[in-house]
Amino acid sequence: MQGFLRIFYPALALIGVLALSAIAYKLTYGVLRSPGMNPEAGIDYTNVVVILLTTVTVIFSVCALALAVLAVIGFRSLKRDAGKYASQQVLLEIAAAFKEGGRAHDQIQREFTEEDGHLKRWVARQIRSEVISLLPLVIDRLKDSADLGVDDDAPTDEGEVD
């Protein structure tokens, strides 16, 4: 398809130029003909100039429309390619940030190792709430199992002592 379009558009432009040239020739043929024996028939250069200027104006208008169409197509292509490139670069930067020694990796490491790290406290709260929410399920399974080897008389973690 690309090969066809590479030939089609120049051929279309050539046909357009030839058609405009034929029209201009047809319009100026009677004016530029030799007057022969008739002294009243002469060349009126103002008509020739008007026709030529009109032809040039039409050619410029067609070229401007073609450039406008190409600009719209080019902008869409540029926008699509820029989006692809940007998404690839974002993924590369995120991967680099989370690698060993990356900025995000180091920040997370600091948050987990510092005693007053916000992330450490948040994760501890989340783990605690998940464990507490799962305890009834674990206890039910433990009660259903046979001999667990648990001493019922042993102290528990609720403050009871021997």
Side-chain angles (χ1 to χ4, degrees):
M1 186 69 181
Q2 284 292 78
F4 173 73
L5 292 178
R6 283 187 186 157
I7 295 171
F8 176 73
Y9 289 124
L12 186 64
L14 179 66
I15 290 170
V17 168
L18 290 176
L20 285 175
S21 299
I23 291 169
Y25 176 75
K26 180 69 175 162
L27 292 175
T28 59
Y29 178 70
V31 175
L32 297 178
R33 252 187 353 197
S34 144
M37 293 296 189
N38 188 356
E40 294 176 11
I43 298 176
D44 186 13
Y45 289 106
T46 57
N47 287 339
V48 172
V49 170
V50 168
I51 291 170
L52 290 177
L53 286 176
T54 303
T55 304
V56 168
T57 304
V58 168
I59 290 172
F60 280 150
S61 299
V62 169
C63 290
L65 287 174
L67 284 176
V69 168
L70 290 175
V72 168
I73 292 170
F75 178 73
R76 287 183 183 166
S77 174
L78 181 67
K79 184 178 173 183
R80 183 184 64 243
D81 291 343
K84 286 180 186 176
Y85 178 75
S87 65
Q88 289 172 354
Q89 285 302 107
V90 165
L91 291 175
L92 288 175
E93 288 298 320
I94 290 172
F98 280 98
K99 280 185 183 175
E100 188 78 30
R103 290 186 306 174
H105 181 268
D106 292 344
Q107 179 67 26
I108 292 171
Q109 195 72 21
R110 273 195 306 275
E111 287 289 332
F112 273 112
T113 56
E114 291 177 0
E115 190 59 37
D116 62 341
H118 300 293
L119 194 57
K120 184 177 183 178
R121 288 184 293 195
W122 179 79
V123 169
R125 275 196 311 266
Q126 289 297 106
I127 291 172
R128 195 174 300 118
S129 67
E130 290 297 322
V131 167
I132 290 172
S133 66
L134 291 175
L135 274 178
L137 296 174
V138 172
I139 291 172
D140 285 343
R141 290 212 176 176
L142 290 177
K143 286 181 181 177
D144 291 343
S145 64
D147 184 25
L148 298 175
V150 177
D151 184 13
D152 290 334
D153 296 330
T156 62
D157 61 347
E158 291 155 3
E160 298 176 14
V161 288
D162 285 337

